[in-house]
Amino acid sequence: MSEGKQRTAQIERNTNETQIALSFGVDGAGESKQNSGVPFLDHMLDLFTRHGHFDLTVQAKGDIEIDYHHTVEDIGICLGHALREALGDKKGIKRYGNAFVPMDDALAQVVIDISNRPHLEYRATYPTNMVGQFPTELVHEFLWKLALEARINLHVILHYGHNTHHMIEAIFKALGRALDEATTIDPRVKGVPSTKGVL
């Protein structure tokens, strides 16, 4: 959708593994309603939404009795698709965003270019492989599918930390803040912020 229009999208994705209904608003109030069946992901999406001042609703039913992989992956796909649809022609956006976020012992940085060239650069290692029942490898899976479907250039750098929960929390907070900056309408930007004339 172009500048001045409501930047929202609703996505449904139904497969033999997951059924997902997701709505996303770029210019929101931090309203977050998550019911994915993956409690840790719900917590992270809530942080992302509130720190990015978005609106996000996720209703998902997946084969979590097998593991969380398909549900986490497909929510990343749906969120990326919704972001891309909501931004439309991208006229007037800042395009770039950068955020450092500390969470107690952890410091994360997320840098975004809404470039229409999907790429994930992920520099994060954790002291444990699990947070409760949530495998830390699924953070990469979620972020990669988000970047791919949104067609954004996403760099995630976890500078340091000791507590795995804190480290992942810092990443999701930084993701929200960096994306908020990148999607903000800048009145100085005329048209699309690219010498190519298109994003």
Side-chain angles (χ1 to χ4, degrees):
M1 298 188 184
S2 61
E3 180 181 355
K5 295 185 179 179
Q6 192 175 28
R7 299 191 295 171
T8 62
Q10 292 78 41
I11 302 297
E12 288 192 10
R13 177 182 170 86
N14 295 297
T15 73
N16 291 335
E17 297 165 344
T18 63
Q19 297 83 49
I20 297 168
L22 181 149
S23 66
F24 181 71
V26 176
D27 308 301
E31 295 293 330
S32 177
K33 296 178 182 177
Q34 319 304 331
N35 184 19
S36 71
V38 184
F40 186 75
L41 180 64
D42 288 347
H43 179 38
M44 294 302 108
L45 291 175
D46 184 54
L47 295 169
F48 160 78
T49 303
R50 294 178 187 274
H51 282 265
H53 306 286
F54 308 124
D55 288 336
L56 177 63
T57 300
V58 177
Q59 184 69 40
K61 180 176 175 56
D63 55 358
I64 58 174
E65 70 281 0
I66 296 173
D67 69 13
Y68 290 155
H69 185 279
H70 296 142
T71 301
V72 173
E73 177 182 35
D74 286 5
I75 290 173
I77 288 171
C78 290
L79 181 57
H81 187 175
L83 173 60
R84 187 179 180 197
E85 183 177 313
L87 289 177
D89 58 20
K90 306 179 186 71
K91 286 183 178 177
I93 64 168
K94 287 189 174 181
R95 177 177 166 177
Y96 298 100
N98 177 36
F100 284 90
V101 170
M103 176 60 196
D104 294 351
D105 53 287
L107 179 65
Q109 180 184 12
V110 173
V111 185
I112 291 173
D113 176 11
I114 300 175
S115 61
N116 201 34
R117 295 189 305 276
H119 180 79
L120 173 65
E121 198 66 36
Y122 183 72
R123 308 288 178 88
T125 56
Y126 305 102
T128 64
N129 293 326
M130 303 286 289
V131 179
Q133 301 300 310
F134 186 87
T136 58
E137 66 180 13
L138 294 184
V139 177
H140 177 277
E141 192 67 30
F142 175 85
L143 294 171
W144 166 228
K145 294 305 163 46
L146 170 65
L148 185 64
E149 293 298 324
R151 298 191 63 83
I152 62 175
N153 188 332
L154 176 59
H155 291 246
V156 176
I157 305 122
L158 183 61
H159 290 284
Y160 47 77
H162 302 293
N163 181 284
T164 303
H165 186 132
H166 292 168
M167 295 159 84
I168 297 172
E169 183 167 326
I171 287 172
F172 275 82
K173 287 177 177 177
L175 177 66
R177 289 179 174 268
L179 188 61
D180 179 42
E181 181 181 1
T183 58
T184 295
I185 298 295
D186 185 340
R188 299 171 299 174
V189 176
K190 306 304 179 187
V192 173
S194 172
T195 56
K196 295 180 177 67
V198 66
L199 284 173

